[in-house]
Amino acid sequence: MGVTMRAPCKRSGEKEEQEEGVAAAAGRLAGAPEAEECSDVDSDSDREMEGIHGPGGLVKDTLYLRSCQAHSVVPASCFLRQVSTPELNLRHHGLGPQGARALASALTSNPYVKRLDLRDNGLCGAGVEALAGALSKSSTICDVDLSENQMGVVGVQAICAALTVNPTMQKVQLAGNSLEEHAAQYLAELLLAHTGLKSLDLSYNQLTDHAGEILGPALAENTGLTELNISWNHLRGPGAVAFARGLEANIFLRVLDISYNGFGDPGASAVGEALKTNNVLEELNMSNNRISAVGALSLGLGLRVNQTLRILVMSRNPMRGEGCFGVLKSVRDNPMSALELLDFSEIQVDGEFDDLASSVKADTARRWPSASQEESPRLKSTHPELDLALLAFRTVKKINVCA
């Protein structure tokens, strides 16, 4: 995922649009084609006006156009076409804080939009704050993407407060907003209060150790979140351990992405402890977390008893063949394991790992001599000598091990 960089948000009180933008907005109200267009829509002016003069659209569009005039911004033709559709996609349109204010006024009474995509619009804290008011009252919008908008603490405080009082919202993306530890308290309050939220994306931010110490206890108490992406942050040391302890107590989360942090061996050990008791997590991405063979072996202790994890990604960790061997052995020794995919991509395995794979293959042949290739789980590796069909557990399932 790439994060688009924009110029710093303007200070409060500065004009958000040039004078020509005001004139364009006024011309749009009079029936002239607006300056901004959808990339996938024909630029013919008659089609641009279709949203304004189409049946049933006059009132909604007039509200938006008047709001644009009041905030001195150019109306977005994309909005006019999508105002009565389930998904409103305005990503990369450069709305800015004033454009967000105009949009918020129109969304407050909109009964159609269910998914709102405002990624990369330079909304800043002020723009997100304006939208938060509309989102807190919406009974239809259940999925919103506010990634890459430089919202800062002001924005995250406003959006978390809005979501806390609106149980309709199920999916929220806040990636790439430079959120730091000061934002963690508001995110924790959201996790503790909002039981309707199912999916939360906090990737590509700057959440540090202290943020992990705040979010961990909130994750432990959360009752509803099933998917959390907190990859590409700075969770390390005590913060990583505290976060992992939250996972241990959580009973709802099914998909967790903590890749590209710095959990290290202490964090991996804490995750291993969590896997001993957590009986709901199904997918876990721990790639590129500075986990050595020592941390991998500690993680394996949890894999020996865990019965729900189906996908484990450990790629790009300095765990070498020894760590891969320990993890695979732990999975093999757990007859109740549900594991289907084990990813060791870009880690060099060694002869000991090959020997273990061969042993598992031989054990498979003895236990299920008549098992067909289609029925057998797969152990796959980029290692040239390893591409084995395995049936390692009591139940037939498909296992891919990528090394």
Side-chain angles (χ1 to χ4, degrees), residues 9-32:
C9 292
K10 298 179 181 180
R11 294 190 298 267
S12 177
E14 291 185 0
K15 292 185 178 180
E16 306 298 341
E17 299 290 334
Q18 299 296 327
E19 292 300 323
E20 55 266 28
V22 180
R28 183 68 179 84
L29 286 168

Side-chain angles (χ1 to χ4, degrees), residues 104 107-108 116 128 130-139 141 143-144 146 159 162-163 165-166 168-169:
L107 287 176
T108 300
L116 177 63
V128 173
L131 285 166
L135 292 176
S136 67
K137 302 172 184 176
S138 175
S139 60
I141 299 177
D143 181 348
V144 61
L146 295 173
I159 199 67
L163 298 179
V165 298
N166 186 354
T168 303
M169 195 65 63

Side-chain angles (χ1 to χ4, degrees), residues 364-395:
T364 300
R366 287 194 301 270
R367 294 186 184 184
W368 295 276
S370 62
S372 67
Q373 191 77 356
E374 289 73 20
E375 293 173 330
S376 301
R378 297 289 295 174
L379 174 63
K380 287 189 176 180
S381 171
T382 53
H383 194 283
E385 298 179 2
L386 185 61
D387 187 8
L388 310 175
L390 295 178
L391 193 56
F393 310 116
R394 292 175 181 171
T395 57

Side-chain angles (χ1 to χ4, degrees), residues 141-199:
I141 299 177
C142 59
D143 181 348
V144 61
D145 188 349
L146 295 173
S147 301
E148 302 172 32
N149 273 298
Q150 308 171 61
M151 67 171 60
V153 176
V154 172
V156 77
Q157 180 180 8
I159 199 67
C160 287
L163 298 179
T164 297
V165 298
N166 186 354
T168 303
M169 195 65 63
Q170 296 183 8
K171 182 178 181 179
V172 177
Q173 293 173 260
L174 303 177
N177 272 296
S178 300
L179 302 181
E180 301 177 339
E181 61 183 53
H182 299 296
Q185 186 58 50
Y186 303 112
L187 293 169
E189 291 173 2
L190 174 63
L191 292 177
L192 290 170
H194 187 70
T195 57
L197 190 63
K198 303 298 182 185
S199 177

Side-chain angles (χ1 to χ4, degrees), residues 36-350:
E36 189 175 353
E37 301 174 2
C38 274
S39 60
D40 60 344
V41 179
D42 193 289
S43 61
D44 182 84
S45 60
D46 290 337
R47 293 187 64 186
E48 290 183 1
M49 298 303 296
E50 185 178 326
I52 298 178
H53 299 295
L58 183 60
V59 175
K60 296 186 293 293
D61 294 338
T62 300
L63 176 63
Y64 173 62
L65 293 172
R66 286 178 177 172
S67 184
C68 286
Q69 185 181 44
H71 292 93
S72 302
V73 295
V74 181
S77 60
C78 280
F79 176 83
L80 298 175
R81 283 186 195 83
Q82 301 177 68
V83 67
S84 298
T85 62
E87 179 173 357
L88 177 56
N89 186 343
L90 294 175
R91 60 167 56 192
H92 313 309
H93 271 68
L95 296 179
Q98 287 294 84
R101 292 186 179 104
L103 180 63
S105 298
L107 287 176
T108 300
S109 59
N110 185 292
Y112 303 105
V113 176
K114 295 182 179 180
R115 184 176 191 276
L116 177 63
D117 188 345
L118 295 175
R119 178 185 290 262
D120 182 31
N121 268 286
L123 302 181
C124 305
V128 173
E129 201 170 20
L131 285 166
L135 292 176
S136 67
K137 302 172 184 176
S138 175
S139 60
T140 57
I141 299 177
C142 59
D143 181 348
V144 61
D145 188 349
L146 295 173
S147 301
E148 302 172 32
N149 273 298
Q150 308 171 61
M151 67 171 60
V153 176
V154 172
V156 77
Q157 180 180 8
I159 199 67
C160 287
L163 298 179
T164 297
V165 298
N166 186 354
T168 303
M169 195 65 63
Q170 296 183 8
K171 182 178 181 179
V172 177
Q173 293 173 260
L174 303 177
N177 272 296
S178 300
L179 302 181
E180 301 177 339
E181 61 183 53
H182 299 296
Q185 186 58 50
Y186 303 112
L187 293 169
E189 291 173 2
L190 174 63
L191 292 177
L192 290 170
H194 187 70
T195 57
L197 190 63
K198 303 298 182 185
S199 177
L200 178 62
D201 184 356
L202 299 174
S203 62
Y204 288 89
N205 280 296
Q206 298 172 20
L207 299 172
T208 58
D209 296 352
H210 184 56
E213 294 175 346
I214 295 174
L215 293 173
L219 181 63
E221 297 295 327
N222 177 263
T223 55
L225 198 67
T226 60
E227 182 174 355
L228 174 61
N229 185 350
I230 199 167
S231 63
W232 290 91
N233 276 277
H234 307 296
L235 299 182
R236 302 167 184 166
V241 173
F243 186 87
R245 287 175 179 165
L247 174 65
E248 182 176 356
N250 184 279
I251 58 173
F252 287 89
L253 199 64
R254 297 186 181 279
V255 179
L256 175 62
D257 189 345
I258 54 175
S259 61
Y260 289 85
N261 277 280
F263 269 58
D265 293 341
S269 179
V271 172
E273 287 297 314
L275 291 178
K276 290 180 181 179
T277 56
N278 184 293
N279 60 358
V280 291
L281 190 68
E282 297 179 3
E283 300 181 23
L284 175 61
N285 189 340
M286 297 184 68
S287 61
N288 211 332
N289 260 290
R290 306 178 184 178
I291 300 171
S292 73
V294 173
L297 294 174
S298 298
L299 178 69
L301 297 178
L303 295 174
R304 285 179 179 272
V305 297
N306 183 272
Q307 300 180 24
T308 59
L309 194 65
R310 297 186 301 104
I311 297 174
L312 175 61
V313 182
M314 298 288 295
S315 60
R316 297 182 179 180
N317 279 296
M319 51 197 286
R320 306 188 308 277
E322 179 185 354
C324 296
F325 176 91
V327 171
L328 180 58
K329 186 175 185 299
S330 294
V331 175
R332 184 201 65 176
D333 293 343
N334 179 1
M336 301 305 294
S337 175
L339 205 68
E340 298 173 3
L341 173 64
L342 183 54
D343 189 346
F344 292 141
S345 299
E346 300 189 40
I347 302 175
Q348 183 64 48
V349 295
D350 53 20

